[in-house]
Amino acid sequence: MMDRLKRWLGPIFIILIVLFFVLYLKDIDVSVFATVQLDWGLLLLANIISLGFRYWGVYIWRIILRALGASSLPSFRILSAIYAKAWMARYIPGTVAWIGSKIYLANKHGISKSRLTVSSLVEAGAQVVATMSLALILLGIDPRLDVISWQLKLVMITIGVAATLCLYPPIFNLLLRSAYRLIRRKDAYDELRVNASAVIRSYLLYLGGALIAGSAYYFLAAALSDDVKPEMFWYIIGASSLAGALGMATPFVPSGIGVRDGVQLVLLSLILPKEIALIITIASRLWSAAVDVLFYLIAAGLKPSTSRKTKDKLH
C-alpha cells in the first residue's frame, strides 16, 4: 500500500502544480498589453537577474544546511533541480507543499529530514524578515509613502519585529520543540535546533536577495513603460519587496496571489499613472510564472544523469 502511494505521489504532485498554475494565470487580462511597447533588452536583463535570484536561493539553502551540520550534500546542480521542482509547489495553496516537497526530494539524497525541516523553516523565516526589513527601510524614508496611515506602518513594523524575534535561536528552538512535542508526542532531538550562524547568514544573504529580486522587478517595469524613471529604482525595489514579503507571509494563498498584486498596485499607483501601475502589476504575475518555469527547465536540464549521482554525493 505504501509503495503504491509513493508511486502515485509524483504524478499527483505534478497534476496539482499544473492545476493551480493554470488557476494562478487564468484571470490575467492580456488586453491591457495592447498599447505596450516592450523594451526587449530590459526584459532580457530582468529575466537574467530574476533567474539569478532563484539560484541565489539555492546557494542560501546550501549555506543553511552546512551551518546546521549537514556535511555530505549533493552537488549544487542536484540541489538546484530539487529546489526548482519544490519552488513550483508554491503554486499549490499553503506553504506545506513547498516545504514538504523539498524535504521529500532532498531526503532521497541522504540529507536528514530533521535538518531539512529546520533549514526550510529558517529559510522561509529569514526570507520574509529580510525582505520586510528592506521594504520598511526603503519605503519608510520615501516621502511618497506618507499617504499610508501610521496604523498600517505600525502593523508592518510589528510583523517585522515579531518575525525577527521568532528567528532568535532560543525562541525559534523553543517554538520548534513545542510543535514537535505537540505533533509527535515526544521530545525533539538535537538535530532539530537552529544556531545563530544559520540565522545570521541566511538573513544577510536574503537582504542581498531582496535587492536582486527588486532590481529585476524594476527592469521589468522599465521594459513595460517609459514612465518608469531611474529615480524610481529604490522605491520600486521597496514596493516589490513589501508586496513579496506580505504575499509569502499569507498562508493558503498560492504564490501570494491577490495579496502581492494588491500591494503592488497600491504602491505603484503612488508614483505612476493608474493604468501603467495596473499593466506592471498584471505583467509581473505572468512574468514571474514564466521565469519559474524557465528556472525549472534549466535546473532539471542541468541535473546530472543517474549514473553520476553517486559521484556527486561525494562532493
Side-chain angles (χ1 to χ4, degrees), residues 40-300:
W40 291 99
L42 289 177
L43 180 61
L44 177 61
L45 180 59
N47 290 342
I48 293 172
I49 295 174
S50 192
L51 274 174
F53 168 71
R54 284 153 177 78
Y55 277 101
W56 185 248
V58 181
Y59 172 72
I60 296 173
W61 184 36
R62 187 181 179 91
I63 290 290
I64 295 172
L65 284 170
R66 288 202 179 279
L68 293 174
S71 55
S72 299
L73 295 176
S75 69
F76 189 82
R77 285 181 295 176
I78 290 179
L79 284 178
S80 298
I82 294 170
Y83 194 93
K85 190 171 184 178
W87 186 265
M88 293 301 296
R90 297 183 313 128
Y91 291 96
I92 300 175
T95 56
V96 175
W98 171 47
I99 295 176
S101 59
K102 192 161 55 172
I103 293 171
Y104 175 77
L105 294 169
N107 180 245
K108 291 183 176 181
H109 292 272
I111 309 174
S112 72
K113 289 183 179 180
S114 56
R115 285 197 174 96
L116 287 167
T117 301
V118 175
S119 69
S120 296
L121 293 174
V122 171
E123 180 189 358
Q127 186 174 4
V128 171
V129 173
T131 306
M132 181 73 75
S133 299
L134 181 68
L136 289 173
I137 292 171
L138 294 179
L139 296 178
I141 62 177
D142 196 302
R144 283 169 290 200
L145 208 65
D146 287 345
V147 296
I148 291 182
S149 67
W150 67 267
Q151 291 95 336
L152 181 56
K153 286 187 177 182
L154 182 60
V155 170
M156 292 161 52
I157 294 172
T158 301
I159 293 173
V161 171
T164 303
L165 288 175
C166 288
L167 282 178
Y168 181 56
I171 296 177
F172 184 93
N173 290 328
L174 176 62
L175 293 173
L176 193 62
R177 286 197 303 272
S178 300
Y180 188 85
R181 190 179 300 113
L182 180 65
I183 296 171
R184 300 297 296 271
R185 304 295 182 182
K186 59 182 180 180
D187 291 334
Y189 38 95
D190 289 340
E191 280 190 350
L192 286 173
R193 293 176 61 85
V194 70
N195 54 59
S197 175
V199 174
I200 294 172
R201 283 185 180 183
S202 58
Y203 177 80
L204 293 176
L205 288 170
Y206 265 119
L207 275 178
L211 286 171
I212 296 171
S215 62
Y217 185 80
Y218 166 81
F219 288 116
L220 170 70
L224 291 166
S225 175
D226 292 335
D227 289 312
V228 178
K229 305 300 182 184
E231 58 268 23
M232 299 177 181
F233 180 75
W234 293 110
Y235 180 90
I236 289 179
I237 288 180
S240 66
S241 296
L242 179 59
L246 292 177
M248 286 184 289
T250 304
F252 310 116
V253 177
S255 198
I257 185 173
V259 176
R260 186 177 65 182
D261 297 343
V263 175
Q264 285 177 351
L265 183 59
V266 169
L267 293 176
L268 290 179
S269 296
L270 298 178
I271 62 170
L272 294 167
K274 286 184 171 55
E275 61 273 14
I276 300 300
L278 180 62
I279 288 173
I280 294 172
T281 299
I282 294 175
S284 68
R285 190 197 299 185
L286 182 62
W287 168 72
S288 177
V291 175
D292 285 343
V293 173
L294 183 60
F295 173 48
Y296 172 73
L297 293 176
I298 292 174

Side-chain angles (χ1 to χ4, degrees), residues 17-29:
I17 289 178
V18 172
L19 173 63
F20 285 105
F21 190 81
V22 171
L23 292 175
Y24 178 81
L25 298 176
K26 73 176 180 62
D27 59 344
I28 290 181
D29 183 8

